[in-house]
């Protein structure tokens, strides 16, 4: 179970954090678009600005408890052409972006959540071990 994130009651602090979340998401997608491994996936996103808004809403819900995000992140990623190595790079780029844009406490919270998500997504997307011993979407023959 994930640790509870204490609420931020101060309105000005919440506003600053919303701006920082948006900055974090934009930094992350800029890094992802330029990355040799993740770039092709990131550049294939239709309506990137709208997508980044959805992602910012996800992090706002995660870090501030807002209700703007109501989606299912796993379902949104299930059909993407991603492999286990994408998750390591995704987490590296996200962690760098969070550390650059978010206050220390929220960066740590966001990175912990992102690490948890990468584990859950990989377990769901690659539930089998292939004949080569690597994670696989299908059972070994």
């Amino acid at each position: 179970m994930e640790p509870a994130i204490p609420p931020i009651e101060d309105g000005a602090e919440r506003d600053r954090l919303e701006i920082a979340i948006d900055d974090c998401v934009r930094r992350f997608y800029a890094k992802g678009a330029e990355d040799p491994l993740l770039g092709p996936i990131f550049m294939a996103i239709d309506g990137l600005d709208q997508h980044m808004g959805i992602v910012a809403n996800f992090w706002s819900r995660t870090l501030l408890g807002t209700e703007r995000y109501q989606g299912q992140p796993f379902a949104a990623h299930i059909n993407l052409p991603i492999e286990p190595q994408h998750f390591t790079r995704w987490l590296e780029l996200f962690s760098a972006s969070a550390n650059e844009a978010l206050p220390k406490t929220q960066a740590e919270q966001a990175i912990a959540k992102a690490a948890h998500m990468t584990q859950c997504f990989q377990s769901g997307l690659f539930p089998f071990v292939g004949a080569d011993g690597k994670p696989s979407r299908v059972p070994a023959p």
Side-chain angles (χ1 to χ4, degrees):
M1 183 163 180
E2 296 177 54
I5 296 176
I8 297 173
E9 304 296 337
D10 180 81
E13 186 178 350
R14 289 175 67 84
D15 290 346
R16 283 190 298 275
L17 189 52
E18 289 282 9
I19 292 167
I21 289 168
D22 187 62
D23 184 35
C24 176
V25 169
R26 291 191 177 282
R27 286 172 186 255
F28 172 65
Y29 277 87
K31 289 178 193 325
E34 293 176 1
D35 187 76
L37 181 62
L38 297 179
I41 297 167
F42 278 49
M43 296 308 294
I45 298 171
D46 287 329
L48 185 58
D49 282 339
Q50 180 183 5
H51 177 75
M52 286 190 294
I54 292 167
V55 174
N57 287 342
F58 170 83
W59 288 109
S60 177
R61 180 180 178 106
T62 300
L63 298 173
L64 290 169
T66 63
E67 298 294 324
R68 291 196 311 265
Y69 181 81
Q70 299 296 321
Q72 299 293 321
F74 180 78
H77 293 82
I78 199 164
N79 292 319
L80 293 178
I82 51 180
E83 297 297 329
Q85 65 270 21
H86 290 106
F87 290 94
T88 301
R89 187 66 181 143
W90 182 93
L91 187 57
E92 290 170 353
L93 296 181
F94 180 79
S95 297
S97 300
N99 282 321
E100 292 167 3
L102 298 172
K104 185 177 185 338
T105 298
Q106 285 77 24
E108 290 172 352
Q109 292 166 341
I111 292 166
K113 173 71 172 179
H116 176 76
M117 288 174 66
T118 62
Q119 291 174 344
C120 292
F121 278 34
Q122 287 185 82
S123 294
L125 291 172
F126 307 101
F128 304 104
V129 176
D132 58 3
K134 295 180 180 176
S136 175
R137 291 182 187 244
V138 297

